Structure formats: C-alpha cells, structure tokens
Amino acid sequence: MQRLIQSIRGMNDVLPDATPYWRLLEDTAREVLAAYGYQEVRLPIVERTELFARSIGEVTDIVEKEMYTFTDRNGDSLTLRPEGTAGCVRAVIESGLARSEQRLWYQGPMFRHERPQKGRYRQFHQFGVEAFGLEGPDVDAEQILIGARIWRRLGLEGLTLEVNSLGTPAARAAYRAVLVDYLRAHFDQLDEDGQRRLEGNPLRVLDSKVPEMQPLIEGAPRLAEYLDESSRIHFEGLLEMLERAGVAYRVNPRLVRGLDYYEKTVYEWTTDRLGAQGTVCAGGRYDGLVEQLGGRRTPAAGFAIGLERIIALLEAGAQPRHHLPHAYLVVAAAGAETEALRLAEDLREALGGLRLVVNCGGGSLKTQVKRADRSGAELALILGDEERARGEVSVKRLRQDAPQEQVPLAALGAYLAGVLGLAQG
Ligand code: ATP
Ligand code: MG
C-alpha cells in the first residue's frame, strides 16, 4: 500500500457534518450585510509581500513570523494573505472605487503560520466588512450593529463587546514616548518579545497575552489620557450611539490591535466559551491606510469575523435544520409516480424556499416512511390509494407526536405555508 499523504498541520477539511453550520453562518452574514447595503467583492488570495509589510506593519507578529511568503517564478516576493483589509484597500484604490463612498464585504481563507490549537489554525476563514469615505462614529456604530445582528440571527448569546480608542497617529506618538520611558524603566520585566518591541512597536507590548507580563501592562500609563480632542469626541459619539441602540459594551483601555493600521476606534467581540481563543470578531477604524498604500486620504472602518470560532460556538448549540428537507413525499399509491412528480413541482412553484424530496424507486409505505424519517424532513406527505381516491394527502409529523391529518390537494400549498412558515407565490 502507498503511504498516505496527510493534510498540512493547521489546515482543515470541512466535511459534510460541518458544512451545514458553515452555510448557516455564511448565509446569515450575507443576508444581514445586504440588509445594510454592503456589496460583495472577491479578492485574490495572493498579494505582493510589500502590501502586508506596509499596511499591517513590519514589527507585528503577522509580518515578522506568521506569513506564508514565497518567491514566484518571476522572482517576485508574494504572500498568501494573512488578512483581508490590505487587499481590499489595494483593490479600491486600484479600481478607483475609493473615490466615492463604499460599503463592501468579502469572505475567504486567510493564512498565518501560527501554532495550531483549538480556534487557531494556519488556514482559517474570515468574513470581512469595510466602509470607505465615511468619517463619523455613525459608521463605526453601524458596523458594530451589523455584528450584533449577525449574533442575534444565529442565536449566539453571551458575546461581549470591548471598545477602545487609539487616537490619531499624532496622539499615539505622544503616548508612545511616555510608554517607552515606562517600559525602559522596567526593562528587565519584559519578555524577549517585549524587549524587541520596545523599540519597534511599543504599543504591541500592551497586547501581550503572556501572564507574567500582565502586572507590568496593568501598571502602564493609559492611552486614554493622551487622546486628542477629535478622537475623544469621536469615541464619545460612538459610545452614545451604542447606548441609544441598546448595544452593551465595555470600554477596555488596554485593547490595542495586532495590526498597525488602526486608529481611533478599535473593538473586539469576545466569548468566554472558547478558552484562550475567545475573540470572534475584531475591527476598528483605519483612516490613514488608503493614503499609506498610495491612494488619496480616505477615512475607513471595518471588521473581520473569525468563522472557525463562530462555528465552534454554533456546534455547541442546537443543530441547524435549514439544510434538511421540509417534507418528503411518500408515493404509496400504485402507479402514482407521475402524479407525485407533478404535485411536487406544483408545490415548489407555489412555495418559495420549499425543500421537498420525492420518494424515488418505489417501496412499501413502511419503507418510504422510514426513508422520510432518515432524510431529516419535518413532514411526510403520504399519497396512498385512499388519499388519491379522495383527492387528498395524509400529513404525518415526523419530529412531533401529533395525529396524522388529511389535507385536500387544493389546500396543500396554503397548509404547508402555514406549518412551515413559508411565503406563498
Ligand atoms: P488573536 O488575538 O486571536 O490572535 P488577531 O488579533 O490576530 O486575533 P485579527 O487579525 O484581528 O485577529 O483577525 C480577526 C479575527 O480572525 C480574530 O478575532 C479571530 O476570530 C480570527 N482569527 C485570527 N487569527 C486566527 C487563526 N490563526 N485561526 C482562526 N481564527 C483566527
Ligand atoms: Mg493573532
């Protein structure tokens, strides 16, 4: 026997038992984004390495040690995208879209060479949302509301929203100087990463998850005290909008993001049900990035959902049923196959979204009802000899204990619409 070639560590297959959860999440996110007027874009998975170095930042975990970078046959340095914002910004500049207001979303795999563990993979998937040309906190609030609506539609509870403001780059530079002084004074308490970042990217020290570093981080001077006026007004505006919209949040003054392009608003949605990998969605404002990548200065804001982590939450809850048939048509009357196909076609025509399986290949009433049950359908519609003679079907509920009902064929569409909550017409 040949040796089995295995998948790459941290890169997973999604098999049929999991795809329904993915569909549910993707369909829900897509519907919610459409409800807010966001348009889909599809972007390449490979970009020039320079794009990520210049946007995410040279001194970040992602660019320093997590990227899948290779030289192609032309000798160009290319990278599998570790996130979606940089490519999206490149695309809107290149296409000219950035010249007008845009609300966009994209979806797909991202690649980071991290240590694989639950909720952390080397190929993972994001749903990303970006808005361009809109400056106020209203867009930040809108995007937070989009997240909240997606969680609600998925029935996810217990997600916490943490928000913070990083201020403008100028305000951050002032804070940075103070922070560097503080960190220098405690140099021997810094771990190796911290010591290295002290020079290149001191704010990232605050993002360290290393337990031994936490007292030092707790004692550090606070960014909030160095916020500039415009950032403060922006942040207060956002918090007020969230309050009025009834979105609960917690201001976390230690929240900094792992990517350099954020300024002003940053936020994370977290859960305590996934251990250390508890951030399911992260975003904020990046008003300087379009210019930094060669476009005209354009305010922008966005977020990305980590799909694997949401899937893990969904899998812990109720099983989705949206991929299972609503009904299974049992064709027990002799020679009624053609009539059954016709009936099924009429029902599909009459009811938008109806998922109906017609029994094929005959079989006794008992066998067919068994198949109906195994299909996962809610209802068995039984067309037997007696039903056929009376112009009816019998409806058997497969997931509830309820008496069988007789429904005239002429009324079947309306009956199913009522029971299944489907629209007629
Ligand atoms: P973390 O702090 O968990 O490493 P991050 O700050 O690196 O996250 P972002 O780059 O902001 O994350 O990505 C947005 C979201 O994508 C994260 O909140 C998370 O849900 C998801 N994500 C990031 N990296 C991974 C990964 N390696 N595997 C699975 N999901 C990930
Ligand atoms: Mg990370």
Side-chain angles (χ1 to χ4, degrees), residues 112 114 119-121 124 126 257 259 279-280 282 306 309:
R112 297 184 194 175
E114 304 197 65
R120 192 173 294 285
Y121 308 101
F124 63 99
Q126 287 184 339
R257 305 277 312 115
L259 302 86
T279 305
V280 295
R309 296 184 191 177

Side-chain angles (χ1 to χ4, degrees), residues 3 7 29 65 97 161 203 206 242 245 251 256 298 303 382 418:
R3 184 177 56 86
S7 66
K65 50 189 184 194
L97 285 174
L161 173 65
L203 256 79
L206 302 178
L242 293 179
V251 174
V256 295
T298 307
F303 69 77
I382 302 168

Side-chain angles (χ1 to χ4, degrees), residues 42-47 52 81 87 90-91:
R42 300 191 180 196
L43 305 164
I45 287 170
V46 184
E47 298 274 1
F52 302 115
R81 64 180 182 195
R90 179 204 49 69

